[in-house]
Amino acid sequence: MKSAARAAVAFGAVIGLAGAAAACSSSKSTKSAGTDAEPAAATSSAGGGTAASELRLGYFANVTHATPVVGVAHGDFAKALGTTKLSTQIYNAGPAEMTALLGGQLDAAYVGPSAALSAFVQSHGEALKIVAGATTGGAELVVKPGIGSAADLKGKTLATPQKGNTQDVALRFWLKQQGLTANADGTGDVSVDPQDNATTLDQFKAGHIDGAWLPEPWASRLVLEAGAKVLVDEKDLWPNGRFSTTTLVVSSDFLKKHPDSVRALIDGQIAANQWITSSPADAQQLVNDQLKKLTGKALTAEAIKRAFGEQTATDDPLAATLQTSLDHAVATGLLKNTDLHGIFDLSILNAELAKNGQPAVSDAGLSKK
């Protein structure tokens, strides 16, 4: 873990996360387990290796993270993990979460592709593997009603969840395509101000910012609660409207030591996503109840419905889109180009999908170095 810890320091420095350590330490932590007993010591498993005594999982209190929100609250993760205790940590954005993973504070995390890419690059391809997808869609650029085009954004201030996160990269690349500069220090034709999503809502209502590129439910909240309008739906920028918003990554070390625990987590995810798809109304209610528990405020019925309608739960990480995500980060100066071979390990996912009668998903040839 020494090399991973060094990578965590480098990762924070590269993307300018002066407050990353504070973000990690102040994140909400909860624990759940398959039983009320203390977690058992690691035991031999049928598939080889050992089952972990504990799995530390990070995710966001966002609708785009409905998979882990449901997996935890509906009991799918705990049921699949058995005696392995599940400890959870809530984050606002991916870069701080990946700093925690690289620093050995998390074993697995639900995170956007850009933050996963950054961690992979900074650890020289050693620290993590993407083992599944979770969500496609669910991100928009929402702005003041008077803004009708990209040209109207010149001189304006826009927010994103955190510098270097998936929506931050998407915004900066889109602005570049429109011929507008958005420098890392906040200067340029458009000022990009990364901040906590709840702060973004307040800042927009107060008129201090002109818009934001946000994941759900925050885009919906700005539209419904603050009068914002959609200038860009990110689905319109990708072939067939499909792009990865949330993936499941695991520490390479944890995957090597506890493959059966990773298999159990993936089994729990498959069950959670099947329930989300088959029982959308119940899933929306459960997610909304959990958002109230985790953030202190539930969404309106209109907001949770709109947010869910903007995205789709999926186990497919849409691997073929990852190179494009990297190209966007490179073009905006947030990452250096790198070889992505070795970033995926979908062997467990595809084995479990087969058991559930579902087709295999592609790794786009990026599993092996």
Side-chain angles (χ1 to χ4, degrees):
M1 290 302 295
K2 291 183 178 179
S3 61
R6 286 195 295 271
V9 174
F11 181 50
V14 168
I15 60 176
L17 296 180
C24 293
S25 61
S26 63
S27 300
K28 181 170 291 195
S29 178
T30 58
K31 294 186 179 182
S32 59
T35 67
D36 293 330
E38 289 298 314
T43 57
S44 296
S45 58
T50 60
S53 60
E54 179 180 19
L55 190 152
R56 300 165 300 170
L57 178 69
Y59 63 100
F60 307 167
N62 279 356
V63 174
T64 52
H65 284 233
T67 297
V69 171
V70 167
V72 172
H74 193 242
D76 299 300
F77 288 171
K79 180 179 179 181
L81 286 166
T83 58
T84 295
K85 180 173 69 174
L86 177 65
S87 299
T88 60
Q89 193 89 358
I90 303 301
Y91 293 84
N92 175 67
E97 187 183 30
M98 290 298 91
T99 299
L101 186 90
L102 292 177
Q105 297 166 342
L106 292 175
D107 304 308
Y110 285 89
V111 69
S114 293
L117 280 167
S118 296
F120 182 81
V121 171
Q122 295 308 315
S123 67
H124 305 288
E126 298 298 327
L128 60 82
K129 299 286 186 183
I130 298 175
V131 297
T135 305
T136 176
E140 296 171 324
L141 171 58
V142 295
V143 297
K144 289 181 176 178
I147 296 173
S149 67
D152 294 337
L153 294 172
K154 192 168 185 178
K156 300 296 194 292
T157 298
L158 303 175
T160 62
Q162 191 172 358
K163 183 179 176 183
N165 97 308
T166 299
Q167 288 76 46
D168 185 74
V169 171
L171 172 60
R172 292 176 194 274
F173 181 74
W174 181 80
L175 290 171
K176 184 179 179 68
Q177 285 184 306
Q178 310 310 308
L180 297 169
T181 58
N183 301 323
D185 62 1
T187 63
D189 296 326
V190 180
S191 177
V192 177
D193 183 12
Q195 56 189 253
D196 181 271
N197 293 325
T199 300
T200 293
L201 177 60
D202 292 338
Q203 291 286 299
F204 187 83
K205 286 180 176 179
H208 298 319
I209 60 173
D210 302 287
W213 199 299
L214 296 170
E216 291 296 353
W218 296 100
S220 288
R221 289 194 66 181
L222 261 70
V223 169
L224 297 172
E225 298 177 31
K229 75 172 188 179
V230 178
L231 186 64
V232 179
D233 185 334
E234 192 171 345
K235 289 194 291 290
D236 296 336
L237 306 180
W238 292 85
N240 302 314
R242 287 173 61 80
F243 65 100
S244 178
T245 307
T246 310
T247 64
L248 173 59
V249 305
V250 297
S251 153
S252 297
D253 185 58
F254 189 85
L255 178 60
K256 182 178 180 181
K257 291 180 179 178
H258 307 294
D260 279 5
S261 294
V262 175
R263 179 178 292 106
L265 180 62
I266 289 174
D267 282 341
Q269 167 173 313
I270 292 172
N273 279 345
Q274 287 178 330
W275 186 72
I276 291 170
T277 301
S278 64
S279 305
D282 290 339
Q284 289 178 32
Q285 185 61 57
L286 179 61
V287 169
N288 207 10
D289 290 344
Q290 290 304 303
L291 292 183
K292 182 177 181 180
K293 178 180 177 181
L294 296 170
T295 69
K297 184 176 182 179
L299 302 175
T300 64
E302 188 179 9
I304 190 70
K305 182 178 180 179
R306 184 188 186 281
F308 257 82
E310 295 297 318
Q311 66 180 55
T312 303
T314 178
D315 298 310
D316 188 349
L318 302 172
T321 67
L322 196 66
Q323 183 64 55
T324 302
S325 295
L326 176 62
D327 292 343
H328 292 177
V330 171
T332 54
L334 291 171
L335 279 180
K336 294 181 179 180
N337 204 6
T338 192
D339 183 358
L340 293 182
H341 287 87
I343 194 170
F344 288 102
D345 185 343
L346 304 182
S347 57
I348 295 175
L349 173 63
N350 281 328
E352 300 313 292
L353 287 174
K355 291 179 182 178
N356 283 271
Q358 299 183 42
V361 299
S362 171
D363 64 5
L366 296 176
S367 285
K368 295 183 179 180
K369 292 185 178 180

